[in-house]
């Protein structure tokens, strides 16, 4: 049984609880202290005669995650048997049709594997193209030739060639105080040259090698020729120097490096074509040099 006492002067309240005479003093509605150490209620606790024993399996808490889960939790889990699994099944209309034969050539999935490279792979192959005397490019890319690098190298060359060629003609006209007009044909001409070269030349070489019983992978040839053009990007940038002899030197060095890169990487394979292998390699070398000459004459020969 408890009693309640309020002091009118101080405004404090006191509560006396049961037989233990425990006093709880409240100041302005807040509990401040409890006089007795233990506060017993007026209703004695009733002990529960039923005891539940819980046994825990031994486990090593130092290891996370557990090596082998026990009980109903297992490594392979799934929805309950009565759960609706309609969301886990693919919709019949969303399944991509599996093409076969020539129809698969016109699907994106057929070319996905040739773009499965990362930045480190592309950079490594670009560096190899700048060291043409190694001759190990085909060995490194034999299992994973890509078209990603060749595509972006050609695309970059198109804009670099068009922009640098335009800048060179602009500077030449301004130095002589003559009127200058932008030539939009530089972009279309560059696109036709680089995309056409990196597509038609490897395709023709593929047919020639197959004729001489030394077939090579078509994608491998596309990859080799695409990376061989990278050296022309810094060469075009250096051609802004308004010295014609310097431009010829830059074009010659770039053409020689590109031609050597292609010829040395194909020499070991073309040797199996018989006695005419030297003519094929020489033709490949001279064709790369011809590309450098065409770039110099068309882009960096300015007539004012």
């Amino acid at each position: 049984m408890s009693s309640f006492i309020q002091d009118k002067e101080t405004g404090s309240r006191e509560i006396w609880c049961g037989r233990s005479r425990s006093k709880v003093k409240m100041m302005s509605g807040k509990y401040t202290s409890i006089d007795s150490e233990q506060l017993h209620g007026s209703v004695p606790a009733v002990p529960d005669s039923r005891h539940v024993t819980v046994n825990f399996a031994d486990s090593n808490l130092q290891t996370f995650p557990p090596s082998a889960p026990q009980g109903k939790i297992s490594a392979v889990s799934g929805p309950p048997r009565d759960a609706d699994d309609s969301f886990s099944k693919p919709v019949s209309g969303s399944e991509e049709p599996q093409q076969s034969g020539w129809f698969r050539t016109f699907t994106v999935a057929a070319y996905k594997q040739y773009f499965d490279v990362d930045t480190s792979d592309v950079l490594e192959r670009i560096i190899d193209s700048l060291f043409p005397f190694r001759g190990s490019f085909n060995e490194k890319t034999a299992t994973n030739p890509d078209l990603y690098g060749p595509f972006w190298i050609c695309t970059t060359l198109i804009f670099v060639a068009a922009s640098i060629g335009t800048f060179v003609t602009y500077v030449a006209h301004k130095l002589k105080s003559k009127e200058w007009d932008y030539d939009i044909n530089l972009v279309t001409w560059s696109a036709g040259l680089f995309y056409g070269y990196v597509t038609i030349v490897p395709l023709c070489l593929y047919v020639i090698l197959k004729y001489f019983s030394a077939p090579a992978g078509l994608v491998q040839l596309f990859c080799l020729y695409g990376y061989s053009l990278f050296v022309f990007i810094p060469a075009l940038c250096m051609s802004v120097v308004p010295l014609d002899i310097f431009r010829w030197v830059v074009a010659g060095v770039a053409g020689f490096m590109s031609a050597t890169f292609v010829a040395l990487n194909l020499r070991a394979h073309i040797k199996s074509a018989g006695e005419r292998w030297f003519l094929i390699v020489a033709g490949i070398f001279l064709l790369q040099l011809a590309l450098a000459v065409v770039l110099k004459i068309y882009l960096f020969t300015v007539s004012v």
Side-chain angles (χ1 to χ4, degrees):
M1 184 175 180
S2 61
S3 60
F4 174 79
I5 302 174
Q6 182 176 3
D7 192 345
K8 294 183 179 180
E9 296 180 356
T10 61
S12 63
R13 300 176 183 178
E14 296 181 357
I15 301 176
W16 294 86
C17 301
R19 292 171 296 177
S20 61
R21 310 295 294 176
S22 299
K23 182 175 68 174
V24 180
K25 182 183 293 184
M26 294 184 295
M27 297 296 295
S28 301
K30 296 183 180 180
Y31 293 95
T32 58
S33 62
I34 300 178
D35 292 342
S36 62
E37 296 182 357
Q38 295 181 351
L39 181 64
H40 300 281
S42 59
V43 181
V46 179
D48 190 358
S49 60
R50 293 176 299 175
H51 297 280
V52 179
T53 304
V54 181
N55 297 324
F56 295 93
D58 295 336
S59 61
N60 186 6
L61 298 181
Q62 301 297 330
T63 304
F64 183 83
S67 57
Q70 300 177 357
K72 294 184 179 180
I73 302 177
S74 59
V76 180
S77 61
R81 295 182 179 179
D82 58 347
D84 185 8
D85 59 349
S86 58
F87 290 98
S88 61
K89 295 181 180 180
V91 183
S92 59
S94 63
E95 294 181 355
E96 296 182 359
Q98 298 294 332
Q99 301 291 347
S100 60
W102 284 99
F103 293 99
R104 190 174 183 275
T105 308
F106 302 99
T107 61
V108 177
Y111 303 96
K112 185 186 298 184
Q113 57 179 331
Y114 303 123
F115 293 84
D116 187 16
V117 289
D118 52 19
T119 305
S120 60
D121 295 331
V122 176
L123 290 178
E124 182 180 358
R125 297 175 183 188
I126 288 175
I127 294 174
D128 287 338
S129 68
L130 297 177
F131 295 91
F133 294 100
R134 293 178 178 178
S136 59
F137 183 85
N138 271 354
E139 297 178 1
K140 294 180 179 180
T141 60
T143 57
N144 186 27
D146 72 286
L147 299 178
Y148 180 86
F151 172 77
W152 283 111
I153 289 174
C154 291
T155 304
T156 305
L157 270 172
I158 292 169
F159 289 100
V160 170
S163 59
I164 297 297
T166 301
F167 179 76
V168 168
T169 56
Y170 173 78
V171 172
H173 282 76
K174 289 301 179 181
L175 289 177
K176 294 187 178 182
S177 300
K178 292 188 177 182
E179 186 179 357
W180 172 81
D181 294 326
Y182 175 71
D183 188 8
I184 191 61
N185 293 326
L186 285 176
V187 178
T188 56
W189 184 89
S190 300
L193 175 65
F194 291 114
Y195 282 147
Y197 184 87
V198 83
T199 303
I200 296 175
V201 174
L203 188 60
C204 294
L205 183 59
Y206 172 79
V207 175
I208 293 173
L209 293 179
K210 194 170 185 179
Y211 174 79
F212 285 102
S213 300
L218 182 59
V219 179
Q220 181 74 21
L221 293 176
F222 286 147
C223 180
L224 178 66
Y225 270 87
Y227 281 100
S228 70
L229 300 181
F230 178 81
V231 70
F232 289 105
I233 296 178
L236 291 173
C237 294
M238 289 187 293
S239 297
V240 297
V241 179
L243 293 175
D244 194 59
I245 185 64
F246 179 78
R247 292 171 181 171
W248 275 111
V249 172
V250 170
V253 172
F256 177 79
M257 292 178 62
S258 179
T260 304
F261 173 74
V262 177
L264 290 182
N265 279 282
L266 290 177
R267 182 183 61 178
H269 178 77
I270 296 177
K271 279 185 176 180
S272 60
E275 298 178 354
R276 298 182 179 180
W277 72 269
F278 182 78
L279 296 177
I280 300 175
V281 174
I284 293 171
F285 186 87
L286 294 176
L287 193 59
Q288 291 288 107
L289 286 179
L291 175 64
V293 173
V294 170
L295 289 176
K296 167 61 183 69
I297 293 176
Y298 189 83
L299 294 176
F300 302 106
T301 300
V302 182
S303 58
V304 181

